[in-house]
Amino acid sequence: MPELPEVETVVRGLQKLVVSQKITSVQVFRNNAITPLSPEIFAQRLTGSTIEAVTRRGKFLIFQLNPRLWLLAHLRMTGKFIVTSLLSTPQKHHRAWFQLDHTQLMIFDDMRCFGTLELVESLDDTKKIQQLGIEPLSSQLTWNHLKDCFNQSSTAIKNLLMDQTKIAGIGNIYASEILFEARISPLRTGSQLSIQELKKLKKSIQKILNAAIDKNGTSISDFRKVDEKTGEFQNFLKVYGKNELPCFHCSTPIQRIIQQQRSSFFCSSCQQ
DNA sequence: AGCGGAACCTGTCGGC
DNA sequence: TGCCGACAGGTTCCGC
């Protein structure tokens, strides 16, 4: 599922529902989601902690706990956090339950079991956070930064946009949508982009990601908000999943190609 | 340095 | 109806 706008949607949902709540018990239903601790130790270390804040870095969710500890969550393809006041037996894809005070339950659900939950003592010492590139919705995103990241590279711009060490948070859907907005072919290499194109790309990254956040993310199949409702940005996609449908602007059929083993969608007429 | 490919795991969909 | 392959929003590791 989730790229930056979906993770941001989940973070905002959790901020309203779980911040300042105490974790009163933890149950783990599938061990391989918890790295590298045993479920017993994982549960023991979390029980009694208070959730002080929920934030995001790239596609990681970060729970800041008191006593001082961080729970890093990555949803990968199908991970979800659901908050409910209903108590029930665990469902098939529930991986962990976090019982909160005030009778609320925070559920980590993940059909494909790629998602991860990890406890760390320090974000500064956590390599997977430290190696992330800039936040694309911060002031760090400038066309000059894009120039530094891209202009020596013979890698396709589609793949560069998804490189989490350059810009953190863009995945397969938004890479295609951003390049359509910027009118740049996914096949162009970083070094082939002009200054004008880098400036346009910077604006397109911000525009598409902000628009997707405004619509609570994209639900093509699995993504759900913490209340289990869908996002709405799937209704505003212009190229992703539109193989052979007419281009929004010029009616040329949208093409699907494979880059780095992932589908890219683009208009060969609008995007040069 | 950077690429392609495979692996992690489960489910759905379309074709035959 | 059933089987089989392709495909799915992400990341990491391995070999070249």
Side-chain angles (χ1 to χ4, degrees), chain A residues 10 14 61 63 73 75 80-82 106-108 117 225-226:
Chain A
V10 171
L14 290 174
L61 286 121
F63 296 82
L75 305 175
K80 299 177 185 64
F81 276 98
I82 298 160
M106 182 170 77
I107 298 164
F108 180 63
L117 301 174
K225 300 186 282 180
V226 296

Side-chain angles (χ1 to χ4, degrees), chain A residues 36-269:
Chain A
L37 300 177
S38 71
E40 292 77 18
I41 303 288
F42 180 83
Q44 182 192 327
R45 295 198 64 190
L46 283 169
T47 301
S49 296
T50 299
I51 300 171
E52 293 211 317
V54 185
T55 56
R56 179 190 61 71
R57 178 78 175 91
K59 300 174 192 171
F60 284 89
L61 286 121
I62 303 173
F63 296 82
Q64 184 189 328
L65 305 169
N66 183 16
R68 197 171 180 81
L69 189 64
W70 282 267
L71 172 62
L72 298 185
H74 200 299
L75 305 175
R76 298 289 181 101
M77 304 283 264
T78 55
K80 299 177 185 64
F81 276 98
I82 298 160
V83 178
T84 176
S85 54
L86 299 175
L87 296 173
S88 58
T89 53
Q91 291 174 9
K92 188 174 181 184
H93 303 306
H94 288 182
R95 303 305 177 209
W97 276 11
F98 302 85
Q99 191 73 53
L100 308 175
D101 39 9
H102 312 306
T103 71
Q104 278 195 313
L105 182 64
M106 182 170 77
I107 298 164
F108 180 63
D109 174 294
D110 186 16
M111 181 182 78
R112 285 175 73 181
C113 305
F114 287 175
T116 56
L117 301 174
E118 182 175 4
L119 291 175
V120 299
E121 312 277 343
S122 155
L123 295 179
D124 293 339
D125 294 336
T126 302
K127 190 182 164 196
K128 58 183 72 172
I129 296 294
Q130 289 307 306
Q131 69 189 10
L132 291 172
I134 62 156
E135 280 294 321
L137 296 180
S138 75
S139 59
Q140 296 176 300
L141 182 75
T142 61
W143 69 266
N144 245 327
H145 178 81
L146 297 184
K147 178 166 161 278
D148 292 342
C149 284
F150 299 159
N151 81 345
Q152 302 290 325
S153 179
S154 59
T155 299
I157 186 60
K158 160 76 168 9
N159 299 334
L160 290 172
L161 283 176
M162 292 201 297
D163 183 339
Q164 303 301 301
T165 69
K166 293 182 164 58
I167 304 172
I170 299 172
N172 203 39
I173 294 180
Y174 296 109
S176 281
E177 294 296 315
I178 286 164
L179 289 169
F180 179 77
E181 173 67 26
R183 298 186 155 241
I184 296 169
S185 164
L187 294 162
R188 299 272 298 285
T189 68
S191 61
Q192 286 170 344
L193 299 183
S194 68
I195 298 298
Q196 282 310 104
E197 287 172 323
L198 291 170
K199 288 181 176 176
K200 176 70 177 162
L201 190 55
K202 179 238 174 201
K203 285 183 185 169
S204 299
I205 290 168
Q206 293 171 323
K207 180 176 174 180
I208 294 291
L209 295 180
N210 277 319
I213 291 170
D214 284 347
K215 301 295 180 190
N216 299 304
T218 300
S219 295
I220 284 182
S221 59
D222 292 286
F223 173 66
R224 295 294 182 273
K225 300 186 282 180
V226 296
D227 60 6
E228 303 188 78
K229 292 180 179 157
T230 61
E232 302 94 53
F233 196 69
Q234 64 276 14
N235 301 320
F236 300 88
L237 297 173
K238 291 180 176 166
V239 287
Y240 184 84
K242 308 292 185 188
N243 193 23
E244 297 179 21
L245 294 175
C247 169
F248 189 81
H249 287 315
C250 75
S251 298
T252 300
I254 299 298
Q255 287 190 30
R256 172 178 177 266
I257 59 172
I258 302 294
Q259 293 180 284
Q260 230 172 237
Q261 306 176 90
R262 319 291 302 278
S263 292
S264 300
F265 298 89
F266 72 112
C267 173
S268 58
S269 173

